[in-house]
Amino acid sequence: MTIKLKLAVTTLALALLAGCKTTPDVATSQVVNIPMAPMAPTAEELKQEQKVVLLPFEMSEQLHAIVAGNGYASLEQALLKAGNTVIERDIAAKMRSELLVAEKTGKYRTSGLQAADIAIMVKVVSADLGSSFSERDYWTDKKGKSHTTPAKCSFSGKTKMHVRAYRLPDMIPIGTYDFEGSASSSTETSNSKCPISTANAEGLIASATNTAIVENQFKLLNELVPPYYVIERRQVPGEQNEALFRTTLSSIKGAKEGMKVNFYRREMRTNPLTNEQSVEEVLLTSGEITNTIDSNGSYVLVEKAAEINKLMLGDVVKVEHDRCPEGYYSLLGSCHKSLSLF
């Protein structure tokens, strides 16, 4: 068994053991009255969805189209799974020219086309193919047995995208990110020119693009996490060190058992130099989503009495996205497909 496989199996085993942890039963718990947060959401805010417009990718070369097509689809799915509402592609295409102008001027006209809360713009920076030829090799092992390594061509694909995110309508920069990915393949051949078919070349670029999205999406998603809210606290009688908090983070919005979430308190802050006021979110504690999830919300387990007692109705709940998305595990700084034992 290779080191990579051993680590993957160990990681899965630990995850399975963690999944066996006993959590309080909602049915045997009781509702605990807790105070309302100073800046609790209104009924209208509870219904609001975070709308994101993902503009068609900017590109300038033929291979860039492969990156744009695969990258747009992958990033769109990542945004949807994270609980965002993504504006339809045809509407995004119509908004493109105006938002590109707004990026330079800092002003976006919200009238007319459907508005969004966040705009994401992506430029395909590069899409490169490479190849190298290895001659046939002969070698002898420690036991004196002769071996032959066939001649082969090794191919590589690399892509890079520059991602910018803005909060609308003021075009306030949220962040800029470089998404880079690579893919490789090889084939036995004696042709040192290393020819590659169009289909295989495009496949390498598509695979590199997928890697770029998979390994970097968490940077963007953690900046764009939609807000959800605490609407109830429950505890098992006599148990002071753990409690369940009902939140508006539902299965429809991507809630999954075991996800880590952070709790924040909204507070009004005044800049002492300008007297300008702004709302800031102060981190209170964290918790883990239990297996009690439905289409309206989920229960989050919070442990330690001191942290439990900090939370109020209306406090903000946000998912913390892992380095690698669901279905992948992190190893030596890269994301790899999880092994299925079933």
Side-chain angles (χ1 to χ4, degrees):
M1 184 180 287
T2 65
I3 293 176
K4 183 184 289 189
L5 183 57
K6 285 180 179 178
L7 285 171
V9 171
T10 301
T11 301
L12 180 59
L14 290 172
L16 289 172
L17 287 173
C20 295
K21 182 180 178 180
T22 302
T23 57
D25 185 2
V26 175
T28 59
S29 65
Q30 296 178 353
V31 175
V32 177
N33 291 323
I34 55 176
M36 191 77 69
M39 297 188 71
T42 63
E44 188 61 32
E45 286 177 315
L46 286 171
K47 298 176 184 177
Q48 286 178 354
E49 296 184 335
Q50 181 164 279
K51 296 179 181 179
V52 177
V53 55
L54 177 60
L55 299 192
F57 287 20
E58 302 166 57
M59 55 184 174
S60 58
E61 298 177 15
Q62 185 175 354
L63 280 178
H64 287 189
I66 306 300
V67 180
N70 287 275
Y72 192 103
S74 296
L75 191 53
E76 182 180 45
Q77 283 302 307
L79 289 165
L80 288 168
K81 287 181 180 178
N84 298 285
T85 298
V86 180
I87 287 180
E88 295 176 9
R89 295 190 189 191
D90 59 339
I91 297 176
K94 292 176 182 177
M95 297 173 70
R96 184 175 185 274
S97 58
E98 186 175 339
L99 280 166
L100 287 174
V101 171
E103 184 180 34
K104 296 178 180 179
T105 63
K107 297 178 181 179
Y108 171 64
R109 179 175 56 82
T110 57
S111 60
L113 292 169
Q114 180 179 349
D117 303 300
I118 293 166
I120 299 174
M121 306 176 185
V122 183
K123 181 178 181 180
V124 181
V125 177
S126 61
D128 301 317
L129 288 168
S131 64
S132 62
F133 179 71
S134 301
E135 298 277 1
R136 181 178 298 174
D137 187 28
Y138 303 92
W139 55 283
T140 303
D141 63 24
K142 293 181 179 179
K143 295 181 179 181
K145 187 176 180 180
S146 297
H147 300 270
T148 300
T149 301
K152 69 175 183 178
C153 278
S154 299
F155 301 97
S156 63
K158 294 183 179 180
T159 63
K160 182 177 180 179
M161 293 163 277
H162 187 61
V163 182
R164 296 106 63 203
Y166 297 90
R167 196 166 298 282
L168 302 177
D170 300 324
M171 294 303 291
I172 298 172
I174 295 173
T176 59
Y177 320 87
D178 285 326
F179 284 22
E180 297 183 65
S182 61
S184 61
S185 66
S186 63
T187 183
E188 293 182 11
T189 180
S190 57
N191 187 343
S192 61
K193 293 183 178 179
C194 293
I196 184 171
S197 69
T198 300
N200 286 340
E202 292 180 352
L204 271 176
I205 294 298
S207 181
T209 301
N210 180 66
T211 299
I213 299 295
V214 165
E215 295 197 346
N216 294 282
Q217 63 181 27
F218 77 99
K219 303 174 186 175
L220 176 64
L221 296 181
N222 277 328
E223 292 287 352
L224 306 185
V225 180
Y228 301 98
Y229 303 96
V230 172
I231 56 175
E232 182 184 76
R233 168 175 156 183
R234 301 185 73 97
Q235 276 180 267
V236 174
E239 179 55 70
Q240 301 300 318
N241 292 317
E242 57 183 21
L244 293 170
F245 287 87
R246 176 74 171 172
T247 78
T248 56
L249 174 54
S250 66
S251 57
I252 297 173
K253 294 302 179 182
K256 299 245 190 260
E257 181 181 1
M259 270 186 172
K260 180 183 176 181
V261 301
N262 294 317
F263 294 86
Y264 299 86
R265 173 81 36 77
R266 283 181 174 166
E267 295 182 356
M268 186 68 73
R269 298 290 173 85
T270 302
N271 186 317
L273 300 178
T274 64
N275 286 324
E276 291 181 347
Q277 290 189 319
S278 62
V279 177
E280 294 185 10
E281 292 178 347
V282 180
L283 179 64
L284 298 174
T285 186
S286 61
E288 189 175 288
I289 297 178
T290 68
N291 60 0
T292 309
I293 306 168
D294 56 49
S295 60
N296 293 315
S298 60
Y299 281 96
V300 176
L301 175 65
V302 177
E303 300 175 287
K304 295 183 181 177
E307 297 185 351
I308 290 169
N309 292 326
K310 292 178 184 177
L311 299 178
M312 300 181 182
L313 294 177
D315 278 336
V316 177
V317 181
K318 291 187 175 182
V319 173
E320 182 175 313
H321 293 281
D322 291 334
R323 164 74 175 73
C324 298
E326 184 181 12
Y328 291 81
Y329 65 93
S330 181
L331 179 65
L332 302 177
S334 298
C335 297
H336 303 268
K337 275 270 189 187
S338 298
L339 297 172
S340 175
L341 301 182
F342 306 98

